[in-house]
Amino acid sequence: MGRTKKRALVIGAGGLGCAVLPLLARQGVEAVVLDDDTVSLSNLQRQLLFGTADLGRPKAEVAAERVRALVPGASIDARMERLTPERALELLAGVDVVVDGSDNFPTRFLVNDACVISGTPLVHGAILRFTGQVMAISPRETACYRCLFEAPPPAGVVPSCAEAGVLGALCGIVGAWMVWSALALLSGTETQDGLIVHDALAGSTRLVGLRRDPACAVCGDAPSIRTLTPERYVEAEACVA
Amino acid sequence: MRGVTEPVRVVDIRAFVCPMTWVRVKLGLEAIREGEILEVWMRGEEPLRNVPRSAKGEGHVVLLCEPAGEDHRLLIRKGS
Amino acid sequence: MLDDLRIERYARHILLREVGGVGQDRILSSKVEIRGLGEAGCWATTYLALAGVGRLRLCDPRPIPAGGLGPLLLAAAEGEPRDRAAAKAIGGLNLDVVVEVGGGAASAPGAWTADGRGESVRIRVAPSAPTSDPSATGAYFVATRDGRAVGGWEGGRVCEACLEAALGSAPSGPSAAALAGSTAASEVLAAILQEAPRPRGLRIHRLGEPLPVGPCPHGDAA
């Protein structure tokens, strides 16, 4: 291909995206950041690329601006859009790693399935209250998100951080682990095979070892999920902000 | 002196959207003592679904949830 | 203390059962001193400022290196004193935070700086009330070098030999400083919220239980 720089697709310019983007930029990784939302006041408690003057502006755009100011010469492209089943595989073309900091289950499953189908390495991250989790996924080699969580939970069962709250500094902790994992996937070094779980109250980080599930619907030996059918990723009613 | 079923404080969250709905109720509960009652005025489906559930999740007791015109009125007794 | 704007800004903290309005008020009333604004110090400072720590005292007069530092100090600010530039940056992030710049050239940024090869951060949380047990807060210490980081709540001065040994066994990676700084902020916030006594002693940030650095055998730590 002739391209020496690695390229990451970062899903979401929220708490995790904001922590991940400057770290990737400082490592010389090109980034495309996807987010269709605008900056709101309750974001500022943890989304470190945004200040009071940015309220109302598109998050992806502000994030890219801020990263370029922090790291001159950073290659970062902002897309003010949401990842959809129709566009996912197109957006993944030419991407070396996907870093998923999205905040809802349908998107997490869409990202996972798109990465497995296209064979793109993926780092999943999530935060809630005082805990965070990170998973490095090499499609069809390690466990994928669906190996662990077969399907999105029914709406209202698992609170989002909009409902349950989250410790802001946790974004930096989880973001750092996500970048660590992304760089390992990019360089082909061994990643931790499983789910990294951090508990900020206990101050501990542990690894829940996982293996690929041969019966997994998307990365198993006889996968039933081979295309990104939109009905499978219907957005549960999301809380605003 | 108020009786045990009289609210000591009222919170009107009809103008707010999630998550500020529960945040306002939570702050209202912080301002009263254990055993006292908070009255909440809500509008729309989201707070109806989330506020009673969040209140119970934090150890409070939902005494009443009744329609009041287009809105809903909630009485919550503060737990420990 | 919590007006409408603050209720919205800190909503995600207030929602936490362990925080609430009472906890956020405590954060807004807290005083934290940060000595040392390297990469880790900048990450810690950023998250403490976003959380609304009421008073931040920053001590590090060294010039910002080429390329800026962490997520806080722009490359364009190269050459400016780190503490002053950080104070300006925090103004853009959160006006609830009053920043003092102090220390001066004579004060060492942290308890340990290994002749420029490494960075250290010492974060001191001031006791929230005169009757508080001072050992409940105290200083959180971070040291980073060559992509490795250690941190923890101090019991006393950290001996350089112990630090060398700890750093030698810490995992290496470019996000080590971000991890250590963010963990420091998380620990400091937990201490302010008084969420269980924080575990004492220097620890290596790594996968698995944080590895404690044993009691100093060198007789140097106070």
Side-chain angles (χ1 to χ4, degrees):
Chain A
M1 202 178 218
R3 175 164 56 83
T4 48
K5 269 196 169 186
K6 298 293 186 179
R7 182 177 294 152
L9 176 67
V10 178
I11 315 284
L16 292 176
C18 281
V20 157
L21 286 168
L23 290 171
L24 288 176
R26 288 200 185 279
Q27 290 308 302
V29 175
E30 283 180 9
V32 175
V33 57
L34 230 65
D35 199 306
D36 68 345
D37 201 3
T38 53
V39 180
S40 62
L41 186 52
S42 64
N43 296 156
L44 302 186
Q45 161 254 14
R46 69 196 175 287
Q47 298 180 12
L48 57 77
L49 293 176
F50 311 137
T52 322
D54 300 315
L55 295 176
R57 294 186 60 202
K59 287 188 177 185
E61 185 178 292
V62 180
E65 255 175 41
R66 185 77 181 163
V67 167
R68 285 185 212 112
L70 285 166
V71 185
S75 171
I76 174 164
D77 183 23
R79 303 267 172 95
M80 272 69 79
E81 63 179 282
R82 177 169 281 259
L83 190 74
T84 61
E86 294 80 6
R87 288 262 291 150
L89 292 175
E90 187 187 329
L91 284 164
L92 256 51
V95 165
D96 299 302
V97 72
V98 175
V99 180
D100 180 18
S102 63
D103 62 358
N104 65 87
F105 286 102
T107 303
R108 288 175 186 143
F109 279 91
L110 173 59
V111 173
N112 181 77
D113 295 351
C115 286
V116 171
I117 288 167
S118 62
T120 312
L122 165 64
V123 178
H124 150 80
I127 46 172
L128 186 65
R129 298 195 184 97
F130 291 94
T131 67
Q133 65 190 35
V134 176
M135 194 169 163
I137 297 165
S138 297
R140 305 189 198 284
E141 290 173 25
T142 64
C144 81
Y145 193 69
R146 235 183 239 281
C147 293
L148 182 58
F149 304 109
E150 282 180 32
V157 167
V158 179
S160 70
C161 76
E163 298 167 317
V166 67
L167 181 71
L170 192 58
C171 296
I173 296 172
V174 175
W177 281 113
M178 289 173 79
V179 170
W180 219 315
S181 300
L183 296 173
L185 286 170
L186 287 173
S187 64
T189 51
E190 209 179 298
T191 53
Q192 303 290 341
D193 206 357
L195 191 69
I196 298 172
V197 180
H198 180 83
D199 180 338
L201 283 182
S204 72
T205 313
R206 60 192 171 87
L207 177 72
V208 178
L210 294 168
R211 284 226 153 87
R212 184 183 75 91
D213 179 2
C216 175
V218 68
C219 79
D221 298 341
S224 54
I225 297 174
R226 295 171 182 272
T227 56
L228 302 175
T229 321
E231 295 74 56
R232 197 180 292 123
Y233 310 104
V234 169
E235 186 78 67
E237 302 137 40
C239 286
V240 173
Chain B
M1 186 150 156
R2 294 179 198 258
V4 291
T5 56
E6 287 295 308
V8 299
R9 193 179 182 93
V10 181
V11 171
D12 184 345
I13 60 170
R14 288 176 292 183
F16 293 104
V17 293
C18 176
M20 300 310 295
T21 42
W22 169 240
V23 170
R24 292 280 172 167
V25 173
K26 185 171 174 168
L27 290 170
L29 285 163
E30 277 187 21
I32 65 176
R33 289 198 283 254
E34 186 181 334
E36 290 182 335
I37 295 170
L38 183 75
E39 179 175 297
V40 180
W41 284 85
M42 313 186 295
R43 180 172 292 171
E45 215 196 293
E46 177 277 313
L48 188 60
R49 205 175 50 236
N50 290 328
V51 170
R53 183 184 67 181
S54 300
K56 286 178 208 165
E58 291 210 358
H60 309 296
V61 179
V62 176
L63 297 173
L64 177 78
C65 180
E66 64 180 7
E70 335 175 295
D71 305 326
H72 277 84
R73 178 173 167 261
L74 197 64
L75 289 180
I76 306 173
R77 176 177 286 132
K78 180 170 179 172
S80 55
Chain C
M1 213 166 193
L2 286 178
D3 58 19
D4 285 349
L5 285 178
R6 285 179 173 172
I7 290 171
E8 193 169 343
R9 182 185 275 268
Y10 304 112
R12 300 292 190 278
H13 273 169
I14 295 168
L15 281 167
L16 288 165
R17 187 169 188 160
E18 296 82 349
V19 183
V22 171
Q24 186 59 49
D25 266 332
R26 210 176 273 152
I27 294 171
L28 287 162
S29 311
S30 63
K31 294 175 205 167
V32 174
E33 177 183 279
I34 301 171
R35 302 181 71 79
L37 290 170
E39 187 84 8
C42 284
W43 278 90
T45 300
T46 302
Y47 280 119
L48 290 172
L50 296 188
V53 167
R55 213 166 196 90
L56 277 179
R57 186 182 172 82
L58 307 179
C59 312
D60 194 340
R62 294 175 299 167
I64 295 171
L69 269 174
L72 189 65
L73 301 178
L74 305 185
E78 180 187 340
E80 286 180 33
R82 298 180 193 198
D83 41 24
R84 290 193 189 286
K88 267 191 277 185
I90 289 168
L93 292 177
N94 191 357
L95 289 171
D96 286 339
V97 181
V98 171
V99 186
E100 291 166 25
V101 168
S107 304
W112 173 80
T113 39
D115 54 78
R117 287 179 298 138
E119 295 281 357
S120 78
V121 184
R122 175 180 259 129
I123 305 176
R124 177 155 203 93
V125 183
S128 53
T131 53
S132 291
D133 173 9
S135 67
T137 52
Y140 189 93
F141 182 78
V142 177
T144 68
R145 190 177 66 215
D146 303 330
R148 299 173 194 273
V150 295
W153 288 98
E154 277 185 1
R157 243 183 63 91
V158 178
C159 154
E160 190 163 332
C162 285
L163 208 48
E164 289 291 330
L167 278 167
S169 26
S172 155
S175 19
L179 179 63
S182 302
T183 304
S186 168
E187 283 288 316
V188 165
L189 289 170
I192 291 167
L193 295 168
Q194 290 157 26
E195 273 308 309
R198 306 312 299 163
R200 294 280 130 185
L202 208 59
R203 295 176 295 166
I204 294 168
H205 296 293
R206 58 164 214 168
L207 213 53
E209 286 304 313
L211 200 65
V213 177
C216 175
H218 307 108
D220 192 24

